[in-house]
Amino acid sequence: MWFLERFHFSKERMNPSKPVERISFKEVTNLEKQRILQKYLKYLFGITDLSISTIRIKLLELRTFLVHFNGEEKPIYEMEAEKIQEYLEYIHRQDTREKTANGRIFMILQFYNFLVVKGYLKRIPFRHEYYLQKEINVHNDRSVPEKVYVEILSKLVYFPEHLRLMFLHLWCVGLRGSEVCTLTGSDYEEKDGDYWLKVYQVKMKTYKRIPIPEALYKLVQVYKKKYQIK
């Protein structure tokens, strides 16, 4: 188990709304496979600039992959190509979206590229192209029906004050819930009669600056002054 509070990651790589506190390798019972996975994680943490939440997604996929071979005594870099291909076929057949399945295959491919670069393998023992599926772009309508948000607005007075403000940020600006949870008082700005909000995007590792209604800006200032918080 690795406890990430002992690491010194830059704040740009961390998602304060959903922090990754620890990483477990105990599910991989073969010690050599566990050691290789830890080496790969050290590379992702130390060499790449990927966000910690993205690295965790890669870890979970690779851990599932290695757990599949827990019953095999051979290290993963000596595993027969047929058994690796059977696992990729299993991913291909699963009832998941094409983009999800392809992403899982690419994570395994990146892991094997690492093994090749480190000298554990001379070449990758599978052709990942055989298992990729054609991706069909689908629009996910995540809009809230007007009837729902109008009802919430009509009953907003009964909510605790901080939840009222959080909902208004979602409704007025269209932020994600996780983005609202990470806002601080210094993120609000008034300039030349316009009102702005600075929001940090973890995946992009940069800030976006968006206009907000004057009423929302003033409500936040009143809230900060009333509770003496920043």
Side-chain angles (χ1 to χ4, degrees), residues 2-15:
W2 288 358
F3 294 91
L4 299 193
E5 63 182 9
R6 302 175 184 178
F7 292 70
H8 299 282
F9 298 118
S10 63
K11 68 176 185 178
E12 290 78 17
R13 298 179 70 186
M14 304 293 286
N15 183 354

Side-chain angles (χ1 to χ4, degrees), residues 111-158:
F111 176 60
Y112 270 87
N113 277 325
F114 170 81
L115 295 178
V116 171
V117 170
K118 287 296 184 180
Y120 291 101
L121 289 166
K122 290 185 178 179
R123 63 182 181 85
I124 296 174
F126 57 86
R127 295 294 299 271
H128 74 282
E129 301 96 331
Y130 293 164
Y131 307 98
L132 297 180
Q133 303 176 48
K134 182 178 179 180
E135 295 183 17
I136 301 173
N137 292 324
V138 178
H139 173 67
N140 296 309
D141 184 4
R142 294 190 173 94
S143 60
V144 178
E146 181 179 1
K147 180 180 177 182
V148 174
Y149 69 71
V150 167
E151 182 180 0
I152 295 175
L153 283 169
S154 69
K155 297 176 181 176
L156 206 58
V157 66
Y158 304 114

Side-chain angles (χ1 to χ4, degrees), residues 25 33-41 59 62 66:
F25 302 96
K33 293 186 180 77
Q34 191 181 104
R35 186 179 68 86
I36 293 296
L37 182 58
Q38 290 175 343
K39 277 194 172 185
Y40 185 56
L41 262 289
L59 165 72
L62 290 173
L66 294 176

Side-chain angles (χ1 to χ4, degrees), residues 47-48 56-57 88-89 98 119 129 146 161 168 173 184:
I47 304 300
T48 75
R56 183 174 182 271
I57 292 171
L88 297 178
E89 283 283 359
E98 295 83 1
E129 301 96 331
E146 181 179 1
E161 200 166 356
L168 289 175
V173 190
T184 64

